[in-house]
Amino acid sequence: MLRINNDISIQDWEMTEQFVRASGAGGQHVNKVSSAVELRFEAASSPSLPEPVKRRLKRVAGRKWTLDGAIVIQVQDTRSQARNREIARERLKEMIEQALVVPKKRIATRPSKGAIRRRIQAKKQRGEVKSLRGKVTPGEE
């Protein structure tokens, strides 16, 4: 079981793990041991997550979200199968925790009249400075 917070915990039967051979450094060890893990969590059909969290989780997961509504996390960071498994579960937990945060609604605001007046005054002043940069005619020196 993967505990997210006091209210939400993911049961083991909702996740499937598949161990595959990892690429990269490790010599002969890499060729004979399946140390990389592929964690699959059926998020869309999970009874543990409320619907709004599932929608936000889809956005958080990005490319890890499959067409059938599962999250696939692949980890081959270490040579240890057990450690890779822990890392995969931690990453899933972090994704779900991000999806639990409800985004604040944006409140449209307008600049104050004083701010508008100051902005326009600054623009006029800048324009005057630029207008003084005109070309010098031979008789003005």
Side-chain angles (χ1 to χ4, degrees):
M1 184 169 73
L2 181 65
R3 186 175 260 336
I4 308 301
N5 61 19
N6 293 336
D7 302 326
I8 297 174
S9 56
I10 307 299
Q11 301 302 318
D12 287 333
W13 60 267
E14 295 181 73
M15 298 179 286
T16 55
E17 292 170 330
Q18 186 177 1
F19 298 100
V20 293
R21 289 193 178 145
S23 63
Q28 289 181 341
H29 179 78
V30 127
N31 299 327
K32 59 188 178 185
V33 179
S34 297
S35 60
V37 67
E38 185 177 282
L39 178 74
R40 184 178 178 92
F41 170 57
E42 301 294 336
S45 60
S46 173
S48 307
L49 299 176
E51 212 49 50
V53 174
K54 288 180 187 178
R55 284 195 299 273
R56 289 192 295 268
L57 184 59
K58 183 176 181 178
R59 192 167 52 248
V60 168
R63 291 176 58 203
K64 292 178 178 73
W65 187 276
T66 63
L67 293 174
D68 57 326
I71 295 176
V72 178
I73 299 173
Q74 295 173 326
V75 179
Q76 58 179 10
D77 294 359
T78 68
R79 289 173 60 178
S80 164
Q81 187 185 72
R83 183 65 189 125
N84 282 338
R85 190 174 177 212
E86 288 174 22
I87 292 169
R89 286 173 173 252
E90 287 168 14
R91 288 182 187 170
L92 177 63
K93 183 178 177 180
E94 288 169 8
M95 288 171 81
I96 294 171
E97 284 172 346
Q98 281 182 341
L100 286 172
V101 177
V102 180
K104 283 185 180 177
K105 292 226 185 247
R106 186 188 177 280
I107 300 168
T109 59
R110 295 177 65 181
S112 66
K113 286 186 178 179
I116 294 170
R117 196 173 19 245
R118 286 189 297 273
R119 181 180 142 267
I120 290 172
Q121 186 61 39
K123 283 171 71 81
K124 282 181 182 175
Q125 197 172 7
R126 189 79 187 132
E128 287 173 19
V129 168
K130 288 184 173 185
S131 68
L132 295 174
R133 290 186 191 156
K135 291 193 179 207
V136 178
T137 55
E140 286 184 17
E141 292 180 40

